[in-house]
Amino acid sequence: MVVVVLLVVAGLLLRGHPVDAPSAAALNGAHTGVVGALSSAVYTVFEPVPAILLTMVLTAVVWARTRCLVVAAGFAGVVALTWIPSDVLKVVVGRPRPDGSVLSHPFVPAQPDASFPSGHMVFVVALVLAALMLVRDVRRRRVWAVCGGLVIVAVATALTVDGVHWPTDVVASVVWALAVAPVARIVWVDVVLRRVTQRLEQTGRHRSGRGKDRS
């Protein structure tokens, strides 16, 4: 909760004082050739609809590998509960996107929604964290953490090179996901899914007991 409040305050301050405007313009200057094409592709891949489809596919993969619906539901829930609420912060802060008129390569079409934080960035970080929560082996977790970190850096760079987000937007997005994802896991996995599982087990035992009584 403290982190969320601090992010709101930081966002409101940045809305009126874009201290990262020079760095935003400099990064956007790299939007040429292959770098520009890859950056635009990254933005498209992690748009809301593809992101939802990707989450569904990965959830199916988790279920197929674990054969446990609860684990798969836990993965999807952590991603959703970390990602979706960030839109509330975006509405509350209402920070405008970088001004395309002062960028060397403004993004087309211009994005009409607010800029702080980046939903794309929150989603990617949430996805990485949710995946890491499934890895129990310490060595494998380190490898996945490094790979996930590289993906996060690549997406953050792409978003700023595209000029669709301020650099501080992506930093705030990472902070949000790191703070919210563990809470989402506790609420969704340790509380909600555990209670649902216990309730189903109790119902199953009750029905089994009634069946034996009848026999």
Side-chain angles (χ1 to χ4, degrees):
M1 187 62 183
V2 174
V3 174
V4 174
V5 173
L6 291 175
L7 285 174
V8 171
V9 173
L12 293 174
L13 291 174
L14 290 167
R15 184 177 67 180
H17 302 85
V19 295
D20 50 346
S23 57
L27 287 163
N28 181 247
H31 196 281
T32 58
V34 175
V35 173
L38 288 175
S39 297
S40 297
V42 167
Y43 189 81
T44 301
V45 167
F46 293 112
E47 286 273 41
V49 173
I52 292 171
L53 294 176
L54 177 60
T55 304
M56 293 172 63
V57 170
L58 292 178
T59 300
V61 171
V62 171
W63 177 81
R65 290 182 64 86
T66 63
R67 290 299 175 182
C68 181
L69 186 59
V70 174
V71 174
F75 170 80
V78 169
V79 174
L81 292 176
T82 304
W83 178 33
I84 296 174
S86 66
D87 276 346
V88 177
L89 179 60
K90 181 175 291 196
V91 173
V92 170
V93 173
R95 186 186 192 188
R97 300 269 183 167
D99 186 359
S101 64
V102 298
L103 297 177
S104 303
H105 309 280
F107 191 83
V108 179
Q111 302 302 292
D113 59 329
S115 186
F116 183 101
S118 163
H120 285 61
M121 195 76 251
V122 172
F123 170 76
V124 171
V125 180
L127 204 64
V128 170
L129 293 176
L132 284 175
M133 290 175 186
L134 299 176
V135 182
R136 296 183 178 182
D137 182 74
V138 176
R139 184 174 299 178
R140 288 181 59 198
R141 184 179 296 174
R142 289 174 181 171
V143 173
W144 279 104
V146 172
C147 294
L150 292 175
V151 171
I152 290 170
V153 171
V155 174
T157 302
L159 295 177
T160 50
V161 168
D162 271 341
V164 289
H165 283 289
W166 305 92
T168 46
D169 292 343
V170 297
V171 173
S173 305
V174 174
V175 173
W176 167 278
L178 290 174
V180 174
V183 178
R185 185 191 185 283
I186 292 172
V187 172
W188 178 244
V189 177
D190 297 343
V191 177
V192 176
L193 289 181
R194 179 171 296 178
R195 289 182 178 179
V196 170
T197 302
Q198 290 173 347
R199 182 66 60 85
L200 291 174
E201 289 176 350
Q202 291 173 358
T203 302
R205 286 196 295 268
H206 179 69
R207 290 178 177 176
S208 177
R210 291 178 60 184
K212 290 181 180 180
D213 292 340
R214 290 177 181 177
S215 62

